[in-house]
Amino acid sequence: MLILFNKPYGVICQFSPHEKHKTLKDYIALPGVYAAGRLDTDSEGLLILTDDGRLQHRISHPRYKEFKTYWVQVEGEPEEQALAALRRGVDLGDFITQPAEVRRMDEPAGLWPRTPPIRERKAIPTSWLELKISEGKNRQVRRMTASVGLPTLRLIRYAVGQHTLDGIAPGVWQQL
């Protein structure tokens, strides 16, 4: 079984109860499925769940180079040197990232509002990037954009490999 879930902001990627946040159990009432990878509580978007341990490992393990595509709203206007740094790989102190595919993009069409909304500052513009990586270490995308001077305001995982969020509203899942 393969489940595609559009995880809302503020939801924790676990099935056990949490004192402050909703969890996967609040949205998915299927026994025996587990997340293949994770998304931080303050990130949104595609989460894949399965009841197949081998498939779960293949999707989530960096050895298999399953590309993950993120839509990233950042503070500021990205200059080419910042994008070039992301394309080369960024030294985050504890590791150097693999090169990312990155491009500027318009705000995604049909994007749902985030609750709560991001903080906006009148004097500082925001921009959108599409970022593709095959890793997925803790808070990696946020750390990468911050290291090149573009703090992440909103982070949405749009795709994992060939699977995308297309047609899946926040808080909704579909079985493939």
Side-chain angles (χ1 to χ4, degrees):
M1 177 183 335
L2 193 66
I3 303 290
L4 305 181
F5 175 55
N6 188 345
K7 185 189 93 58
Y9 178 89
V11 174
I12 294 185
C13 287
Q14 65 186 36
F15 281 95
S16 56
H18 189 273
E19 60 192 43
K20 295 181 184 178
H21 299 281
K22 287 188 172 185
T23 68
L24 297 176
K25 190 171 187 165
D26 293 304
Y27 296 91
I28 302 167
L30 294 174
V33 296
Y34 303 93
R38 299 177 71 84
L39 277 175
D40 294 332
T41 306
D42 53 356
S43 297
E44 309 164 69
L46 184 62
L47 186 66
I48 297 179
L49 299 101
T50 181
D51 60 352
D52 180 337
R54 290 176 61 197
L55 179 59
Q56 179 189 25
H57 178 74
R58 181 163 180 79
I59 292 169
S60 60
H61 199 283
R63 173 178 40 203
Y64 298 106
K65 304 287 186 205
E66 192 76 57
F67 273 88
K68 296 154 192 82
T69 304
Y70 295 88
W71 292 338
V72 189
Q73 186 176 19
V74 296
E75 191 172 83
E77 293 285 341
E79 295 183 12
E80 189 52 42
Q81 68 188 36
L83 299 179
L86 293 168
R87 289 180 187 121
R88 282 191 307 270
V90 180
D91 186 346
L92 297 179
D94 51 340
F95 73 100
I96 298 173
T97 68
Q98 295 294 314
E101 294 178 29
V102 62
R103 69 174 183 88
R104 291 178 186 92
M105 64 181 285
D106 293 332
E107 179 176 316
L111 184 62
W112 58 89
R114 193 187 88 172
T115 304
I118 65 157
R119 64 171 164 73
E120 297 222 23
R121 298 196 271 182
K122 291 181 181 180
I124 300 175
T126 67
S127 306
W128 284 90
L129 301 174
E130 180 184 77
L131 188 78
K132 294 181 182 183
I133 59 173
S134 62
E135 299 170 299
K137 297 183 178 163
N138 189 34
R139 303 186 70 78
Q140 181 173 336
V141 171
R142 291 176 189 281
R143 293 176 64 201
M144 289 172 71
T145 62
S147 76
V148 298
L150 299 166
T152 294
L153 300 172
R154 188 172 182 189
L155 181 60
I156 301 166
R157 183 160 57 199
Y158 168 70
V160 176
Q162 67 191 27
H163 303 291
T164 71
L165 279 180
D166 292 340
I168 308 172
V172 174
W173 59 272
Q174 64 180 217
Q175 183 175 343
L176 297 183

